[in-house]
Amino acid sequence: QVQLVESGGGWVEPGGSLRLSCTTSGITFGDYTLAWYRQVPGDQRELVASITSHRASNYAHSLKARVAIWRDNAKNTVYLQMNNLKPEDTAVYYCNADHPSPYMDRTYWGQGIQVTVSS
């Protein structure tokens, strides 16, 4: 069974930092592109950051200065460090694993974890 489990969310004051973790099971972790998305009520899910199996990373332009993504293949875990958090960062954050092959329709999502930034 494929599972993606996020952790590390919660409440933080503006200007604070959080580190999210996503630990996976049931997939060949090293073959997958990993990503973090976020979604607020009434809006579409948007990409925060992604990292390929070759550790090439991509960030939403507006967040690049404040976030970092990395992966630990030995732990089947991908991380998202977020610094200088702002109220508009409040959202449910989702971990995603996607197989890069166009011949394989395999994409998986975590359950989501709440991040709330307020004073």
Side-chain angles (χ1 to χ4, degrees):
Q1 182 179 356
V2 176
Q3 291 190 81
L4 283 69
V5 181
E6 301 103 333
S7 62
W11 174 85
V12 65
E13 294 187 9
S17 299
L18 285 175
R19 181 178 295 176
L20 305 182
S21 301
C22 173
T23 299
T24 71
S25 61
I27 64 171
T28 305
F29 183 86
D31 292 342
Y32 280 73
T33 295
L34 282 302
W36 289 94
Y37 290 76
R38 69 184 184 185
Q39 188 170 25
V40 299
D43 208 348
Q44 293 186 337
R45 192 169 298 185
E46 65 175 350
L47 176 70
V48 177
S50 66
I51 183 167
T52 71
S53 62
H54 296 98
R55 293 183 172 85
S57 59
N58 182 63
Y59 299 93
H61 182 73
S62 63
L63 300 175
K64 188 175 182 179
R66 301 191 291 116
V67 305
I69 188 170
W70 71 96
R71 63 194 292 163
D72 187 337
N73 287 358
K75 297 181 178 179
N76 294 335
T77 299
V78 61
Y79 303 89
L80 181 71
Q81 178 73 36
M82 300 189 290
N83 301 318
N84 192 23
L85 286 161
K86 304 175 181 180
E88 53 263 43
D89 295 319
T90 297
V92 177
Y93 285 71
Y94 295 90
C95 179
N96 171 263
D98 184 71
H99 200 286
S101 174
Y103 306 105
M104 299 181 66
D105 185 16
R106 295 185 180 182
T107 186
Y108 305 100
W109 294 91
Q111 77 284 357
I113 189 165
Q114 180 70 44
V115 171
T116 301
V117 185
S118 70
S119 57

